[in-house]
Amino acid sequence: PTTRIMLSNTHFSMAIHVLSALAYNEGELMGSDDLAKSVGTNPSFLRGLIGRLKEAGLVETQMGKGGGTRIGRKPSKISLKDIYLATESKPGLKKHDCCDTSKCPVQAGMNSMLSDINGRVEKAVQSELKRTTVADLLAGYIKD
């Protein structure tokens, strides 16, 4: 399984922002320029992120004049784990290169040790993120 890291970049938090904005706007199409202003980023970058969310089935897009992006599922059916899996891909603990055949016992065991730690951290992160949905975020943090 691929190991990711929470907050290895801003993609996860930006994707939460995008999906919260789309959920708040109740399925309306929103243009990438408007979403980018809300998120505080470049529309071109945001379109790439939206592409990843679309591949994961979290958003729908419509091209052309009057097009844009809308949420792809009910907010109660999108967990933070879904968003995390769509946006993160780096290992939790960045490993330095170690030779597994080294005569140094620490060096020889480092890769498997870090791999095991990454696996446990990843399992805990995903378990926690699975508990919260976009609907939960709107209900708990977004004021009308």
Side-chain angles (χ1 to χ4, degrees):
T2 303
T3 304
R4 296 157 180 63
I5 179 169
M6 178 95 164
L7 304 177
S8 64
N9 56 47
T10 59
H11 297 182
F12 177 62
S13 59
M14 285 182 171
I16 291 171
H17 188 137
V18 166
L19 287 162
S20 295
L22 294 173
Y24 182 81
N25 286 286
E26 300 182 25
E28 293 177 24
L29 283 170
M30 294 185 71
S32 57
D33 288 342
D34 292 331
L35 283 169
K37 285 177 189 169
S38 177
V39 174
T41 193
N42 172 311
S44 178
F45 167 80
L46 194 62
R47 283 189 285 275
L49 181 61
I50 288 169
R52 293 170 74 182
L53 298 175
K54 182 180 178 182
E55 287 174 12
L58 303 178
V59 300
E60 299 171 351
T61 59
Q62 184 175 320
M63 304 300 277
K65 186 172 180 159
T69 304
R70 73 169 56 97
I71 198 154
R73 293 188 225 159
K74 290 182 180 182
S76 62
K77 300 294 183 190
I78 300 175
S79 73
L80 294 184
K81 178 183 175 185
D82 297 326
I83 302 167
Y84 175 74
L85 293 174
T87 59
E88 297 296 329
S89 61
K90 295 185 180 176
L93 298 173
K94 189 170 182 171
K95 298 190 293 185
H96 63 283
D97 290 327
C98 287
C99 175
D100 288 331
T101 60
S102 171
K103 292 184 183 199
C104 171
V106 173
Q107 184 181 32
M110 193 57 61
N111 284 336
S112 61
M113 175 181 31
L114 292 176
S115 180
D116 288 348
I117 292 168
N118 270 331
R120 292 195 312 269
V121 168
E122 180 67 17
K123 185 176 180 181
V125 166
Q126 289 191 30
S127 177
E128 180 60 30
L129 293 177
K130 187 177 181 180
R131 298 174 43 193
T132 304
T133 67
V134 171
D136 296 333
L137 296 177
L138 289 180
Y141 297 98
I142 308 301
K143 310 295 183 218
D144 284 327

